[in-house]
Amino acid sequence: MTTPLNIPKSVTVKAGHVQPLWAGHPWVFRQALAGVDDGIMAGDEVIVLDPHGKILGRGLYSSSSAIAVRMFSLEGTVALDEAFIRAAIERAASLRRAHGLPNERPGEQTTGYRLVNGEGDGLPGLVVDVFGETLVVQLGTAGLKRLEGAIADALTEVMGPRAIIDRTSPQIAQLEGFTLGDAAVRMVRGEIPDALRFMERGFRFELPLELGQKTGYYFDQRPLRDRIEALSRGSRVLDACCYVGGISLAAKRGGAREVWGVDTSVPAIEVAKATAALNELEIHFEATDSARAFQKAAADGGWDVVICDPPKLARKRRHKQKAGGGYRKLAASAAAATAPGGILAFCSCSAAVTEELLQRHLALGARDAGRRAVIVDRCFQGPDHPVLAAFPEGLYLTVLLARIY
């Protein structure tokens, strides 16, 4: 075997950890490494070898993360250079176009969506969201930080944005060992806009830059917003953990006679109110926690459609047992808040919580409330959040739509 001259360093995987990587799983966990060449630094490109010296692929090395290597190719001679990055972004944009994004049809206009979904688009650790003429980028590894200029060049050439903003998590940067600027909004290209303006399914959004959840909006829940709109006619809808009110807007346009959106974030609720006004919809938004809202709804006899979309409760696999109690408690409160025969949308954005496990938490929670949950539909992240077939962790968003009796 000849190691490519431009990447002299390699890591070797232990026996018993090869099969997932051979099948295309993009993560090499540190515990799976049998050896690492001397001199490898955080962010270096490396070749991944099996115990017999056979090439499994090529990736970017992280020195302190539990994920030691994120693989971007199953070949050993394909470099992660500007040409590779541009080709990957072009494929990503083509995939979105094939699924109708962006969408210019009247009443369905959508100019906000995910353009690059990390591993699902062959660029592990990279997230790029489109907000109209502005792109928001998150760099998840030290290697991607080194390639920031090449990534910005490729995005500019393929998408032609007016601005590219970096919203990399400071926690990720610290873990990966690279530094970020002190500014709350870090520019990569262009001029800082005064807001993130975009359209989704015909709704207009103007989000202030200081609203710092993820890249600024949850594009992954678009399928649920569409589904709730279809289910809401004539109903009273409670949207818990509503953030800036995307689901609430959908419910009201779908013909809901009353919509109540709640969130603990006062800034998010203020934006939700402004967004409802911008779209000429009458919705009641309130800054309160979901537990109080569920309790009030239950005392009121229950609402016809209830959405329970909490923050991530199990960030890693080791947290899922502890998170189970939280999901079960939420399910009990949400089920009690749902009118008999009504719909509960029970959500999890934790990859560690499988559909089967979430279903169990829903069943037990409903039983705790003296109710019975019958699942009638399911939603997952939309097609702008593609998932490698060999990477089940990429399917992180699960929504169970259940009738509560």
Side-chain angles (χ1 to χ4, degrees):
M1 182 201 71
T2 302
T3 300
L5 295 177
N6 60 331
I7 293 190
K9 306 296 183 182
S10 64
V11 301
T12 302
V13 176
K14 297 176 183 176
H17 294 268
V18 172
Q19 184 62 31
L21 301 174
W22 180 87
H25 196 290
W27 290 354
V28 182
F29 291 99
R30 191 160 305 281
Q31 64 186 21
L33 292 180
V36 176
D37 282 354
D38 292 338
I40 294 179
M41 305 290 289
D44 284 351
E45 287 189 43
V46 294
I47 294 174
V48 180
L49 306 175
D50 74 6
H52 305 289
K54 183 178 179 180
I55 293 175
L56 293 170
R58 188 157 160 171
L60 295 175
Y61 184 77
S62 293
S63 59
S64 54
S65 171
I67 305 169
V69 181
R70 288 173 172 83
M71 294 171 62
F72 59 83
S73 174
L74 298 179
E75 305 294 331
T77 57
V78 178
L80 185 56
D81 54 18
E82 292 183 15
F84 182 98
I85 293 168
R86 173 164 181 161
I89 291 173
E90 287 177 336
R91 284 195 304 272
S94 178
L95 185 151
R96 274 68 181 176
R97 288 193 297 271
H99 287 275
L101 296 171
N103 186 344
E104 298 179 357
R105 290 191 297 272
E108 301 178 19
Q109 299 97 322
T110 298
T111 60
Y113 56 94
R114 176 149 296 180
L115 174 65
V116 177
N117 191 49
E119 289 78 359
D121 287 298
L123 293 169
L126 178 64
V127 168
V128 182
D129 280 351
V130 178
F131 292 86
E133 296 182 319
T134 300
L135 304 183
V136 177
V137 176
Q138 290 183 318
L139 306 172
T141 68
L144 289 174
K145 180 62 176 177
R146 288 190 193 178
L147 294 164
E148 182 178 46
I151 292 168
D153 287 343
L155 289 171
T156 299
E157 292 168 7
V158 175
M159 300 299 294
R162 294 187 64 180
I164 302 175
I165 296 174
D166 174 22
R167 261 194 165 153
T168 298
S169 161
Q171 291 77 18
I172 292 296
Q174 182 178 16
L175 175 64
E176 286 286 316
F178 63 88
T179 58
L180 297 172
D182 295 331
V185 178
R186 297 176 295 276
M187 286 303 305
V188 178
R189 297 287 167 84
E191 297 182 2
I192 297 177
D194 59 351
L196 295 175
R197 293 184 174 85
F198 64 99
M199 297 190 73
E200 185 189 69
R201 302 171 57 252
F203 293 114
R204 294 171 59 197
F205 288 85
E206 295 183 4
L207 306 183
L209 295 179
E210 59 269 21
L211 202 64
Q213 291 289 345
K214 301 291 184 180
T215 63
Y217 189 67
Y218 296 105
F219 291 120
D220 50 6
Q221 282 284 31
R222 185 180 296 114
L224 177 60
R225 290 189 279 271
D226 184 65
R227 195 75 186 92
I228 292 298
E229 182 166 344
L231 290 168
S232 294
R233 182 166 298 280
S235 298
R236 300 173 75 208
V237 179
L238 168 55
D239 182 12
C241 304
C242 68
Y243 188 44
V244 296
I247 293 176
S248 297
L249 295 176
K252 191 63 179 180
R253 189 173 69 179
R257 58 189 173 93
E258 185 177 356
V259 180
W260 180 24
V262 303
D263 199 285
T264 56
S265 169
V266 173
I269 287 296
E270 291 305 311
V271 172
K273 292 177 180 177
T275 303
L278 182 66
N279 289 278
E280 300 181 343
L281 294 172
E282 187 176 341
I283 300 170
H284 174 58
F285 288 106
E286 183 179 352
T288 188
D289 63 67
S290 58
R292 290 182 181 179
F294 290 151
Q295 187 176 27
K296 183 177 179 181
D300 193 31
W303 286 50
D304 305 301
V305 179
V306 174
I307 298 94
C308 180
D309 188 12
K312 185 180 292 187
L313 299 184
R315 295 192 174 276
K316 297 182 180 179
R317 289 187 182 277
R318 66 175 183 267
H319 299 150
K320 68 179 182 180
Q321 185 172 355
K322 182 178 179 180
Y327 280 114
R328 179 172 175 173
K329 185 177 180 180
L330 273 172
S333 298
T338 306
I343 284 280
L344 169 61
F346 192 54
C347 312
S348 169
C349 58
S350 301
V353 179
T354 63
E355 180 184 347
E356 180 182 4
L357 190 55
L358 187 65
Q359 184 170 325
R360 176 174 173 78
H361 296 324
L362 174 58
L364 293 174
R367 183 68 183 88
D368 291 341
R371 309 293 291 277
R372 181 167 57 97
V374 178
I375 296 170
V376 294
D377 203 355
R378 297 164 178 80
C379 288
F380 304 94
Q381 61 222 54
D384 55 340
H385 291 67
V387 178
L388 285 172
F391 183 55
E393 296 91 336
L395 187 61
Y396 65 90
L397 179 62
T398 303
V399 181
L400 302 177
L401 289 155
R403 291 281 178 186
I404 304 297
Y405 297 101

